[in-house]
Every structure is written in structure tokens, then in C-alpha cells.
Amino acid sequence: MNQLILQQGLSKELAHFPHILEFAHKKNNTIQLNSFSSNVADCICLYYILEGKFTWIIDSQEHTLYPGDFAMVLPGQCIGGQSSIMNIGALFWIKISTEDNGRLLLGKWSGLTKKEKVSVNQILLINKEQHVLKLKEAHALMHSLQAELQNEEVGFYTRANQLLDELFVLISRQFIRQNNSRRDFPQTFLKLEHALRQDLAHQWTVEEMATLIGMGTTAFTEKAKNYSGFSPLNYLINIRIAEATKLLKRNEVNITDIALNTGFYSSQHFSTTFKKLTGYTPTEFRKNKTTDQ
Amino acid sequence: MNCIIIIEMGTAAVKVFAFDLSGNLISSAKGHYPTFHEQTDHSEQDPEQMFITMLYILKNLLIEKIYPKKYTVSCICFGSSMHSLLAVDKDGVPLGNAITWADNRGKKEAADLKASALGEEIYKATGTPIHPMSSLIKIAWMKNNEPEKFGLAKKFMPMKSYIIQQLTGACVIDYSIASATGLMNIHNLAWDQAALDFAGITPEELPALHPVFYSGVTLKKEYQRVLKLSPTVKILIGSSDGCLATLGAGVWGNNMATITIEDSGAFRIIGDRIIEDPKQQIFNYLLTEKHIITGGPTSNGGVIFNWFTKQFGDFPKAFDIDQSMEMLIQEAATVEVGSGGLIFLPFLHGERAPIWNPNARGCYFGVNIRHERKHFIRATIEGILFEMYSIGRTLEKHRHIEGLSINGNFASIPLCTQMIADIFNKPVSTLSHGDSIGRGAFLLSATEMGIYPSLEEASKTVAMHQTYYPKPENHQVYAQYFKVFESLITKVADEFDIISDLQQRYS
């Protein structure tokens, strides 16, 4: 029986890994009531199915998972078995704590660069409604991770964290592959536009935008320019000013907040950029509304 | 040196053109804006983003391309796609997004009205077929389904009026765009009372009606300053994309018609009278009160070939759909006329003219074991063009047509142009300029400025580039397959409704 459940605080194997809250390789042979009741996650929960068929409700959506399927639940999302039971079968799961109240998914343990962490973060958040992926590559990876945690051979600390990084990179790439056919640029660009609008206050870089849709920076810039008529950053400024225009007309939010919410460094920066394009300062624009002569 | 600026608010992008007074294109630029489909049948755009994009593109073009060449702008003229609708509150602030022509949310309102005597009366008065595309139906939908928003709305206008209002402060609409709203009486050039009653609004809730030559508005001084334009620059409200493309197609007189196929398409003729169609299959839009553009639109043009390429094309380079399409076109060219008896109904987007059925769906018919991908490619193209032919035949019941001029990126593919000539059995000419809407808007502006004595004379300056002649033996084959195409549509009419209903229910 190669069944294993490690829990932070109880299992000495996790003593070196404060960020791993739980690691399990479980074979479930019987159906028990309330064996998997629905609860809201306060960490990242990742599941990989080895055998059997599992029917789960993730964020009130029903999913049926088969071997090779991988499920991701982020902090704040809800997961549980249908009728609160864990089906018969075998699976891996791992629970990983986040930092900064769930805003930073990959903590200090990760060896990814700062930029890479930001990108992985964005990709996971943007695709968080998707929950389930085909990710056969995770199979070998989870086994290796189990071996590292159990055997504690030389270099196990670094190796285990590298495997976690690898897992997150795999998940991110798979999201991008599944969601971008690499055929339909308009569709892909529209998805990017949605992502930008969701977080206009973020100081987006071209590199981040390109990564989000799985393109290199140079190819993305050229394609975006050709398709939209704007460089990626100018396109973004365009959305920012359009959004700011809307907020100015609504008269509910003060100008400094509008500036910061729409991604300008300051109300001064907003004012200058806005006036350069429209001829009005934000204050004048708000006073004049639209129908004056 | 003086120049004329054309601002064309298209479906997916704004295009800005600068012409010198002889009609040479000095420069042009485009800026894309997205369309949002939050629900099935919904198709919306952000009015502020459209305005800001237009302003950005216009400003850059003027400052980077026009002023350095020492040009002075003497006139700015507007074109725009038809049928869009934006509701604004008492302060002129948009209540949500603008709804585009492609939006089908008013399917039920349209079907009910079309089945009534009132529907026929409104069609006759307004020239706009009863369909969810029209502002009439969209406003009626809002009244029935979003009463709160409907109550807050103080004005209903197309995007073009909103753009002009932002720039000038005036709330105006031209006859061309107005005649496509389903709300304007094209016989007496006023808002139609029966249509207004159906929509539940008064004339005060609509922009003021003006001929396409109207220039009684001025740019706000802030925009004069930022665009470095003189206060005397003439702002011409202009016309619609369809009317301008027809003007720019050079088909005045001589029994000519024009075919446009971009993503969607249309078959149009120009004349001096309204053509009434008892079957309500065609539109009558006004270029001016004396010049009527009559025709029929299809929702299934190049967008269908685009769909086919995305699903079945090879993509040697990621996202390079142009290359993939070219490869498919080459493959299609190797297939015999009629695609070995494979017939395609292209109604993936439902259809407007001539069947006006939002529930219509696509279909490949006659598939046999010897058909390969290449037959499907060619059948797809032939299906799109057969559909254009059925629209053309509807128009031919009212007007004798001897030749065609074509424009739009799909119709201009040489293989397609030759197919059009063969299917219609008429000579088909391509134009020597790239963009008929831009050209049409230039001709309109130049006529207003006195450079041409009349629109008719202006239209005559349009030069044809190349003429494709029909091959009678090909027409013979197409004519036989077309009969099957046509009768198929009638035979599966009930199944269109059933399948569309099932699709809505289960997906």
C-alpha cells in the first residue's frame, strides 16, 4: 500500500517545507458519507487523478474528473465532492499556502524570477474559473515529489521546490495552450483586453501581456500593431483614458482615485495625458460633460 | 495645400483617410476597438473606447503625416456602419455599451412585428426590413426587457451621432444612417410616427435629421486646439458605409450594381426612386432624398471563410491567418467548378437578405466518399457567393443589371471575382482604389465643396481597374447547382427553426 498523507505540523517530512500544508497520495476504496464536503479553500489546492472517476463541485460548477485530469482550486474558491462524498479511485493532492493574503500565489520558496512569478500569478488568476486541465505530465512529477519528501536524499529541499515550480510552470503553459488555438488572433487579443480591463491599475509591461497569451514579446508587438493599429502600450493607454472618461462622466469617484484605478501614476500624470489627447483637464471635462457647445 | 479628412467608424475599427483635393490618398490609419459578446445574440461596443480610439488615430495622423507635408484640413467628413444604437441619460452620459448591427437580442420583437400588418406598414414607410439589426427593434427590446434603463434614457442614437456630439456638442443624424434605423419615413424625410409608437419613443428622443451635406456644426474649441484645426474647418456629417461604398463603386447609371464582401456583404444598386418589395426582402436607404440605395445585405461573407480557415486550415505560422487563407484558396483553385457536387449553405450567422431568418444555419449537402478537404474549401467559397447571387436575383426582379463592380477584401480575391462573374454570368470589374467607403466619402465631400457639380458626376470619376468576363460553360454548371442550393433552403426551412431552438436549449 503506497498510500500517504502528510500534514503540516503533524508530519516531520513537511518540517522543512512550511509552505506545503498537505501532500497526499490516496487510494480510496470505500465510499463514506461526508468524506469530501464542500469548503472554501484558504490555500492553493491541486489534485491529480490516477484511477477512477470523481465528480466534484468546484465553485458551484460540476466537474467529472478522469485519470490524467488535474484540478486547481485557488484561495476563496469552493470545492467538494458531489453529495459530499469522495468517489472510489486513486489520486494525489497537494495544498500550498500563499502570501500577501492570497495575492501572491508563489511564495519565497519559489526559485522563479520575480517577473516569472508575476506572470504565473496572472495566468492562474485569469484562468481560475477553468478549474480542470488535462495534465498527464503531472503524473511523473507528483511521484518524484513524493519520493523527494519521503526519502530526504541529498539536495531534497531544493529538488522538491524545483518540482513545485515545474508544476506551476506546466499548469500555466497548459492553460495558455488550451485557451489559445494559435489560429485566432482577434479572439486571443480580446481575451487579453479582458485581462487588461480586469486590472487596469496594474503597471502592465509588454512582456507580461505577451506571456499571458503565450507569445514572444517581439512577435506579439508586431502582431498587435498590425491588428489594432496601436503598439501594445498605446492600446493600453487608450483603454485607460476610455475607462477614465466613463468614470469622469459618472461623477461618483474623485479624480485622484480615477487616476490610480485606471493605471496612471498620479493625478498629475492622468491630467497631462488626458489633456494632451482631449484638450480638457479631467476637472474641466467633468464640468463640461458632453452636451455643451 | 488643402486636404479632406474622412473618419469612418467601421464595425471593428475606425479608419481615417486624408485625400488631397484631386482625390489622391495622402495617408490613412486605422485603430481597432473590440466587440463584446457577453451573452448569446448580444454584440456590444464601448462608446468611450470608440471615441478615444478615433481621437487618438485622428490626432496622430494629422500631426505625424498631414501637417509635416504642409497640408491644411479644409473638411472633415464622417462615415459609419449602420444600425448601431446607444442610449444616453439626461446629461448625455451613455447608459451602458452601444449595440451593434450584428446583435440579435430582439429576435422575438422582430418576428412578432414582421408577422403583423403594422410590420408591413413600417417596412413600406421606413425602407428598413424588419429585423433585430434595426434601432427600431432594439429600442422596442429595451422597452420590454430593460424598463429601468429605458426609463432613464433621454436620447437614442447611433454611434456616429454620439461621436459627432462629443466633438461638436450637437446631436445630429444624417439621412443615410437615419434611413437604416427603421424609424425614419423615407418618403417624407421625418421620423415615422407608427415606428416611433412601436418603439415607445418621441421625436425629441432622437437626434435632429439632416441631409448628408449638412455642415452646420463646429468643433469644440478644445478639440480645435488639440487637433490644431482652424475654427473654420468644415464638419460634414456625411453618410453610411453602405451608401458611401455604393457612391465609391462607380455604378451610377449604365445598369450597374455593386457587390461588397468583407466579413459581411451586400448587393446594391443606386437609383432615383424607392423600390417597394412586397416580400420585404430588400432595403431602401437614402444617400440623398433623390438618390436611393437599394439592396440586400448578407451576414455571411468573408467571416465564414475565416471560420473555415480557423477550423480546418493549416497554420504553418502561429496566428498567420492570411497565409493560411492563401493556401486554402490555392487548393480551392485546383477543384472543378461546382466542387464535385458539394453544396454549402453558408448561414452560420443566421441570414438577412433575402430570407431574413436569424434561425437559418449552415449545411454541407451532397457529400460523397470521393470528396476531400479541397472540395469543402471550394464549396464554402461557392456557397458564400451563391448566397450573394440569390440576393442579386431578388434585385434583378426590379432592375435590369448588365455589369457588376466589386469591392471588399473577400470579393477582391481573384478566384472569388472570377467565380462571381461565372455565377452571375456578367462582367465584373474591380476598382482601381482600395477602399470604396473612403472614396465615396471623398466624392461626397468634394461635391459639397463644389469640386464636382453633382454626386453623379463625382461617381463617374471612379475608375475600373480590371474586368473579369464570365465563362459560359462555367455558368451553365453553376446555374444547375444553384437550383439545388435555392430549393434546399426552402426545404429545410422548418428544420432551421427546430435546430436553432435545440442549439439554444442544449448549448
Side-chain angles (χ1 to χ4, degrees):
Chain A
M1 192 71 168
N2 55 355
Q3 184 156 293
L4 174 78
I5 298 186
L6 302 175
Q7 285 179 313
Q8 190 57 246
L10 297 175
S11 315
K12 62 175 178 34
E13 289 89 340
L14 295 185
H16 295 284
F17 302 96
H19 51 285
I20 303 183
L21 304 178
E22 212 171 286
F23 180 90
H25 178 182
K26 188 173 162 69
K27 221 173 164 92
N28 200 35
N29 295 319
T30 53
I31 288 185
Q32 290 181 353
L33 285 177
N34 300 320
S35 49
F36 193 22
S37 34
S38 174
N39 65 67
V40 176
D42 55 1
C43 57
I44 308 174
C45 308
L46 306 170
Y47 302 84
Y48 180 77
I49 309 299
L50 292 162
E51 289 165 28
K53 172 183 158 191
F54 292 82
T55 307
W56 292 345
I57 314 289
I58 308 177
D59 260 12
S60 50
Q61 259 178 288
E62 187 182 300
H63 295 272
T64 303
L65 292 91
Y66 297 96
D69 282 347
F70 190 92
M72 177 182 84
V73 178
L74 294 184
Q77 295 187 314
C78 189
I79 181 166
Q82 190 191 38
S83 322
S84 296
I85 56 159
M86 180 65 89
N87 304 86
I88 289 175
L91 75 165
F92 276 112
W93 74 76
I94 182 165
K95 298 183 178 175
I96 299 161
S97 64
T98 58
E99 289 175 18
D100 195 14
N101 287 325
R103 276 193 290 271
L104 191 59
L105 299 175
L106 274 54
K108 288 185 198 71
W109 57 267
S110 166
L112 297 180
T113 67
K114 208 175 155 193
K115 276 185 183 171
E116 288 169 337
K117 279 189 198 179
V118 170
S119 287
V120 167
N121 225 35
Q122 281 167 348
I123 293 165
L124 298 189
L125 286 176
I126 280 164
N127 294 290
K128 68 178 179 188
E129 321 273 285
Q130 200 172 319
H131 307 302
V132 178
L133 280 169
K134 277 259 167 272
L135 200 69
K136 287 230 163 69
E137 297 95 322
H139 189 168
L141 204 149
M142 294 302 262
H143 276 293
S144 306
L145 186 56
Q146 178 177 349
E148 293 296 342
L149 294 176
Q150 282 187 300
N151 301 343
E152 304 198 356
E153 287 181 85
V154 62
F156 75 95
Y157 175 78
T158 304
R159 216 20 221 134
N161 283 338
Q162 279 174 348
L163 285 166
L164 278 184
D165 273 338
E166 196 179 330
L167 183 61
F168 279 106
V169 169
L170 264 179
I171 299 170
S172 307
R173 290 187 181 177
Q174 188 62 12
F175 270 131
I176 289 171
R177 273 191 213 122
Q178 274 193 9
N179 296 336
N180 298 298
S181 65
R182 309 191 67 74
R183 288 168 173 244
D184 194 341
F185 190 76
Q187 192 66 27
T188 301
F189 194 76
L190 187 62
K191 268 185 206 148
L192 174 66
E193 165 132 9
H194 274 294
L196 298 176
R197 283 167 172 264
Q198 297 260 302
D199 192 6
L200 266 189
H202 177 70
Q203 294 307 315
W204 291 92
T205 64
V206 180
E207 207 179 336
E208 278 170 25
M209 296 185 207
T211 307
L212 213 51
I213 54 172
M215 289 183 84
T217 312
T218 319
F220 167 67
T221 305
E222 191 198 320
K223 199 83 202 161
K225 177 97 191 100
N226 222 326
Y227 174 68
S228 75
F230 294 99
S231 73
L233 287 179
N234 281 342
Y235 193 81
L236 178 63
I237 293 176
N238 222 354
I239 303 180
R240 287 190 164 134
I241 297 184
E243 214 46 46
T245 306
K246 237 179 272 176
L247 293 169
L248 284 173
K249 285 187 181 175
R250 255 179 237 148
N251 240 337
E252 288 156 7
V253 187
N254 75 52
I255 289 177
T256 310
D257 286 346
I258 293 178
L260 299 177
N261 291 345
T262 53
F264 294 94
Y265 304 115
S266 61
S267 54
Q268 190 53 45
H269 176 222
F270 172 44
S271 189
T272 322
T273 315
F274 193 82
K275 181 155 186 173
K276 215 170 117 192
L277 182 63
T278 66
Y280 294 94
T281 66
T283 317
E284 287 164 358
F285 186 83
R286 178 164 265 180
K287 267 195 222 131
N288 278 309
K289 282 263 174 59
T290 46
T291 39
D292 65 302
Q293 198 71 52
Chain B
M1 288 177 295
N2 289 324
C3 73
I4 295 173
I5 299 288
I6 308 300
I7 299 174
E8 216 278 286
M9 303 299 297
T11 303
V14 52
K15 288 184 192 157
V16 181
F17 305 90
F19 289 98
D20 68 20
L21 298 190
S22 319
N24 301 307
L25 185 67
I26 305 164
S27 189
S28 69
K30 72 156 191 181
H32 158 91
Y33 30 74
T35 305
F36 306 111
H37 304 278
E38 298 294 338
Q39 294 179 46
T40 332
D41 283 339
H42 285 211
S43 171
E44 299 186 352
Q45 291 182 319
D46 177 350
E48 305 301 359
Q49 188 173 9
M50 292 171 84
F51 177 71
I52 293 295
T53 304
M54 181 282 296
L55 194 59
Y56 212 123
I57 293 291
L58 174 63
K59 187 183 163 198
N60 282 357
L61 184 85
L62 290 175
I63 288 170
E64 288 166 16
K65 300 277 159 60
I66 302 307
Y67 298 148
K69 290 185 186 158
K70 306 283 177 238
Y71 280 102
T72 310
V73 178
S74 47
C75 172
I76 298 179
C77 174
F78 290 87
S80 146
S81 52
M82 295 178 281
H83 315 300
S84 65
L85 180 79
L86 179 68
V88 303
D89 71 8
K90 59 178 179 13
D91 298 319
V93 179
L95 296 160
N97 284 330
I99 307 172
T100 79
W101 63 268
D103 193 289
N104 268 329
R105 71 185 68 185
K107 266 197 311 209
K108 189 185 169 300
E109 280 75 10
D112 291 351
L113 179 60
K114 202 176 170 184
S116 70
L118 177 65
E120 192 183 346
E121 183 195 328
I122 291 180
Y123 166 74
K124 276 188 186 157
T126 65
T128 307
I130 307 295
H131 185 268
M133 68 181 184
S134 71
S135 314
L136 165 77
I137 298 296
K138 286 170 179 149
I139 298 173
W141 180 90
M142 198 186 293
K143 182 182 65 174
N144 296 340
N145 295 278
E146 293 183 337
E148 201 176 321
K149 185 169 161 186
F150 183 77
L152 286 173
K154 280 292 160 288
K155 275 238 155 60
F156 296 91
M157 60 179 88
M159 265 316 295
K160 182 177 165 183
S161 297
Y162 184 70
I163 297 288
I164 294 178
Q165 187 180 36
Q166 299 309 294
L167 287 172
T168 68
C171 191
V172 292
I173 188 170
D174 59 84
Y175 284 174
S176 305
I177 291 283
S179 61
T181 59
L183 294 161
M184 180 192 179
N185 187 311
I186 53 173
H187 306 271
N188 64 19
L189 309 177
W191 296 116
D192 184 72
Q193 197 53 51
L196 294 184
D197 290 345
F198 178 79
I201 57 170
T202 61
E204 290 69 41
E205 290 169 271
L206 293 167
L209 280 164
H210 292 284
V212 294
F213 291 120
Y214 179 72
S215 61
V217 295
T218 40
L219 271 189
K220 290 182 183 176
K221 59 181 187 311
E222 288 78 6
Y223 295 115
Q224 289 170 15
R225 199 164 56 223
V226 79
L227 298 169
K228 303 192 191 324
L229 290 166
S230 114
T232 59
V233 62
K234 181 178 290 182
I235 307 294
L236 201 55
I237 63 171
S239 175
S240 66
D241 56 1
C243 291
L244 290 171
T246 314
L247 175 61
V251 291
W252 216 290
N254 299 332
N255 297 318
M256 291 274 284
T258 178
I259 289 176
T260 306
I261 314 179
E262 300 267 356
D263 275 356
S264 57
F267 186 101
R268 303 184 185 96
I269 52 175
I270 191 162
D272 54 9
R273 62 183 182 92
I274 294 162
I275 299 178
E276 281 193 5
D277 179 18
K279 288 187 172 165
Q280 304 186 34
Q281 289 175 326
I282 54 178
F283 60 69
N284 284 284
Y285 298 146
L286 306 184
L287 176 55
T288 74
E289 56 271 51
K290 289 191 199 70
H291 304 114
I292 320 292
I293 309 293
T294 306
T298 169
S299 302
N300 303 294
V303 67
I304 303 304
F305 192 62
N306 204 289
W307 164 83
F308 185 93
T309 308
K310 278 188 286 197
Q311 309 310 319
F312 310 112
D314 307 311
F315 278 74
K317 259 175 80 188
F319 292 124
D320 193 343
I321 195 163
D322 291 339
Q323 186 194 20
S324 307
M325 281 194 190
E326 247 168 67
M327 290 163 62
L328 291 186
I329 294 281
Q330 276 173 15
E331 212 176 317
T334 66
V335 177
E336 66 269 31
V337 166
S339 307
L342 183 59
I343 287 175
F344 174 57
L345 308 186
F347 309 133
L348 274 62
H349 276 304
E351 185 54 304
R352 293 187 284 167
I355 58 174
W356 295 96
N357 183 358
N359 292 335
R361 290 295 179 267
C363 172
Y364 287 95
F365 179 79
V367 191
N368 70 39
I369 200 76
R370 289 172 54 236
H371 285 138
E372 298 169 29
R373 179 178 78 162
K374 60 183 183 182
H375 296 94
F376 281 84
I377 307 169
R378 186 168 179 121
T380 303
I381 302 169
E382 288 177 342
I384 295 167
L385 301 178
F386 272 158
E387 178 55 11
M388 188 50 77
Y389 185 48
S390 35
I391 302 173
R393 282 162 56 97
T394 312
L395 267 296
E396 277 192 289
K397 287 177 195 152
H398 305 278
R399 172 85 58 85
H400 173 66
I401 294 161
E402 277 168 16
L404 301 163
S405 105
I406 56 116
N407 57 74
N409 55 19
F410 186 75
S412 315
I413 299 169
L415 179 72
C416 297
T417 313
Q418 184 60 50
M419 281 185 189
I420 295 173
D422 291 346
I423 292 172
F424 279 82
N425 203 23
K426 296 184 199 307
V428 177
S429 301
T430 58
L431 301 166
S432 52
H433 54 75
D435 190 291
S436 302
I437 302 173
R439 174 65 44 178
F442 162 77
L443 296 174
L444 186 85
S445 313
T447 304
E448 197 279 341
M449 292 164 75
I451 298 171
Y452 302 111
S454 67
L455 287 176
E456 186 167 358
E457 291 304 315
S459 173
K460 283 182 186 160
T461 64
V462 172
M464 300 296 165
H465 175 61
Q466 199 182 350
T467 302
Y468 291 67
Y469 293 95
K471 299 196 178 87
E473 65 278 18
N474 290 353
H475 177 70
Q476 248 247 306
V477 177
Y478 279 133
Q480 294 171 60
Y481 282 129
F482 180 75
K483 274 191 195 147
V484 183
F485 175 92
E486 219 180 10
S487 69
L488 261 182
I489 297 172
T490 338
K491 289 204 173 124
V492 296
D494 291 342
E495 281 71 19
F496 280 153
D497 290 339
I498 297 168
I499 199 71
S500 145
D501 186 45
L502 288 173
Q503 286 174 355
Q504 196 142 23
R505 212 175 323 157
Y506 295 114
S507 59

